Amino acid sequence: MIAVSAPVAASAAPNGNKSPRTAIRVERLWQRYGSIEAVRGIDLTVAEGEIFGLIGPDGAGKTSTFQVLAGVREATSGKVEVFGQPAREARSHTGYLTQTFSLYPDLSVAENIRYIGELRRVAPGEIEKRSLQYLRMFDMDRFADRLVGKLSGGMKQKLALVCALVPAPRILVLDEPTTGVDPVSRREFWDTLTHLAADGLTILVATPYLDEAERCNRVALIYQGQINQEGTPAELRASLHAQRLELRTANLEQAEQILLASSGPDREILDVQRFGDRLDLLVPDPDRAERFLEKELGSAGLAGFEFRIDEPTLENAFVATLRRLGEEVHAEPFPGRHEHRDLRGQIAIGAKDLHMQFGSFTAVKSFSLEIKYGEIYGLLGANGAGKTTVIKILCGLLEPTRGEMQLAGEHGSLRSQTVRQRIGYMSQSFSLYDDLSIEENLDFSAGVYLVNGEEREEKKRWVLSFSGLEGKQDQVIGSLPGGWKQRVALGAAILHEPSVLFLDEPTSGVDPLARRAFWQVISRLADLGAAILVTTHYLEEAEQCNRVGFMVAGELVAEGSPTAIKSAQPGHLIEFIVDQPQRAADLLKKDMPGWRVSLFGERLHVVTDEEAEPGRQRIAKKLEADGIRVVSAREGQFSLEDVFISVVEQARQQGRVAAED
């Protein structure tokens, strides 16, 4: 830790305001749907200019709460006020972004904005003025005439935010606004939110990505319709009274089983989470934990382990709180009957010099890859980088313009019946039929892959248990929330125990506890010998892959284990806590590229090419010369997202990829 200046008490007000006005007041809010109590007597106060995060598992009551706050739905009972008015009467002050977004794909960008503006009774001149202002803010003004259906996912998200801002709301309610958005667009989106909050806009956001929740001024955890914990991200992390150990050892599978058996409340190991090249352990006392590890792992022949100590994450706090409330990961072991361990070390997925041309557009170029059985490989890239195209080529759905391929022991043609029986594929858009029931979907998948008899029934029972949908097999898929659809879709993709599995953003929109369950299953399949190719926009979960590759503009530009890729990143990351975080970020961005400066609530991350101490001193001096007090500073670890954004931004500077195209 590099400390400078004496710590100061954190202000209760966001953005340095001493006495902020109350923007939202909620007292004893209840929301019932027949016999279902979605929200059960919550109290909430949000200050003007605050970014307030509402986090919780699927079905916790987040969307129901937001619908009442936005004035879309009347509360069953309770008091909900927006700037002193009932929420229904204050709708003109509120912008609301739903999970599905109300954009019209057959209208242009400008036409969508104009429609929303006129619907909200904004004067035509103001619509034009504000739309130009916000489109420029998002670098989208040159796309005003493009049809929305032809925009990338990140651009659609930005447009939806523009539409919500055109009526000039004082409150902005965002329900999982960045699901499916790539890391670069996600960071740009949040940079915009922090600027809007600094200008006085009050923002409420629900997100399944807890690295995003770190950017909020305060966070509340809602579970079964009740708020169980509330505070700043730092307060929630500190409430664990624990540290996080990153443990590296030769046999992660064996170490995980040993430590899981010895973990639990009031023990030396509170929690164990497996990543691609390490285990994360939550421990109350690192020194005692080290002695415990030496004893337990040493007796199993795993004495040559390494570890480093770091602070816990907000996700650690989230999971620990849910466990105290009785919620657990659905972790019934996958009933594997057909292991592929004998194939370990052999190439399962291979590509050499792949090219894919669509007319004059080159989607994939000079792409080469080898993935072995028993390996989890993460293919990462911004929207439009070519990931989905590569997956479709590798699993035989698209013929490449040129290049050599290998899949499940076959070369050349990948469309034989033998190959198709060996692979599983879960697409972004769900490989399920919305008008069929859960059971009908599972029966269809089992029939296609010739899974019959007792094994079919066993696998179906497992999918229902894994999904938390026991007894609901007759429910129509189209009626399920996104997180539950994803769980059923994963189950359907692995019913036949494929030796090669393609997962295209499998956990998009899934809450952190369910995401753990997904990765336990994925790791179990890899332990059984399956080769797994995963894409994800949530780079914290990409750490659970054995190796990752970064795609930029159709090319593979970096590859290696998560630790190796982060270690190879040049420069140093300095984390500052300052009394005026937004002003500090804006000041530093005047002299350095924007991607080098990121704001996470009260914490400011700055990437410098200097050595850590000289860089810390220079930046601290610059901030203090401008009247910004530096509370503390320390060198931090690069995240995989930091590295990814650095790689993409450097490629942009070299002209290899446009900011948006």
Side-chain angles (χ1 to χ4, degrees), residues 28 125 172 195 214 271 294 297 380 402 413 444 470 649:
R28 304 297 299 160
L172 192 58
H195 275 96
E214 294 272 8
D271 184 36
E294 287 173 348
L297 298 184
L380 314 175
R402 70 172 186 270
S413 174
F444 175 80
E470 297 98 326
E649 290 299 332

Side-chain angles (χ1 to χ4, degrees), residues 141-177:
D141 49 306
R142 63 188 186 282
F143 300 116
D145 296 326
R146 181 175 291 189
L147 292 180
V148 166
K150 295 185 177 180
L151 297 178
S152 70
M155 292 170 73
K156 286 179 181 176
Q157 243 75 337
K158 293 174 187 176
L159 174 59
L161 182 55
V162 171
C163 290
L165 290 172
V166 160
R170 298 171 67 187
I171 302 284
L172 192 58
V173 180
L174 308 175
D175 198 356
E176 299 189 7

